[in-house]
Amino acid sequence: MALEWKLVVDCADPLQLSRFWASALGYEVEDNSALIDRLAREGAVDERDYTVVDGHKAFRELAAVRHPDDPVDEFSGTGLGRRLLFQAVPEPKQAKNRLYIDLHAGPDRRDAEVRRLTELGAKVLHQVRARGSDHVTMADPEGNEFDVQ
């Protein structure tokens, strides 16, 4: 039996990073308003734990993006499919990622995609042409590496 999963990314600013990756992937930032309202009624969170972004309540230390075609839990706003969860941690990134995302734009769209991602806040680290691969390694606004093929 296959397992459901999400990729969790430690970061300094989950709200900023979720917006970057939502734009980069064409995903949607999850709306946690209903979940935050429920947790606030239960006394599990208070106004120090969340903020309002684009008219929706959002956790200060957690933010997720999800594929727009995947189902959503109506009671929490949580995606039930392909998603990335960004969580605030106190320590900064210190080394190369051991797990990263490959974006597959294709050879005809790759350069345009690299330009678009740069405009969103990513940085080009280097181009790789080795062992049958031709891709661009980039870093998101917090320095997390990813490749564009």
Side-chain angles (χ1 to χ4, degrees):
M1 176 182 213
L3 297 174
E4 292 185 19
W5 60 272
K6 67 180 166 279
L7 179 64
V8 179
V9 179
D10 290 348
C11 61
D13 188 343
L15 298 174
Q16 176 201 22
L17 217 49
S18 67
R19 293 179 93 163
F20 169 82
W21 281 103
S23 294
L25 297 171
Y27 276 34
E28 295 179 1
V29 176
E30 290 182 354
D31 178 1
N32 296 128
S33 297
L35 176 59
I36 291 169
D37 286 342
R38 188 180 84 223
L39 293 172
R41 279 192 308 274
E42 295 170 357
V45 299
D46 62 35
E47 51 278 341
R48 293 172 297 186
D49 299 312
Y50 61 88
T51 187
V52 176
V53 178
D54 298 330
H56 301 283
K57 290 180 181 169
F59 291 106
R60 292 184 188 276
E61 296 189 352
L62 292 170
V65 299
R66 64 173 185 82
H67 192 284
D69 296 336
D70 289 348
V72 177
D73 181 303
E74 65 183 79
F75 298 108
S76 68
T78 301
L80 300 173
R82 297 161 281 187
R83 60 194 294 260
L84 301 171
L85 174 67
F86 303 93
Q87 68 178 6
V89 296
E91 68 277 356
K93 182 179 179 298
Q94 296 182 9
K96 182 180 181 293
N97 298 3
R98 298 291 297 210
L99 178 71
Y100 58 90
I101 297 173
D102 274 349
L103 303 181
H104 296 243
D108 296 337
R109 288 187 29 223
R110 188 189 67 203
D111 292 342
E113 194 62 27
V114 167
R115 281 191 299 278
R116 184 181 77 84
L117 293 165
T118 301
E119 290 170 5
L120 291 173
K123 294 179 184 166
V124 173
L125 299 179
H126 54 271
Q127 180 150 0
V128 176
R129 288 188 177 116
R131 291 177 248 161
S133 180
D134 185 0
H135 64 272
V136 177
T137 298
M138 302 185 76
D140 72 15
E142 289 201 11
N144 300 300
E145 298 90 0
F146 64 97
D147 291 337
V148 181
Q149 299 182 1

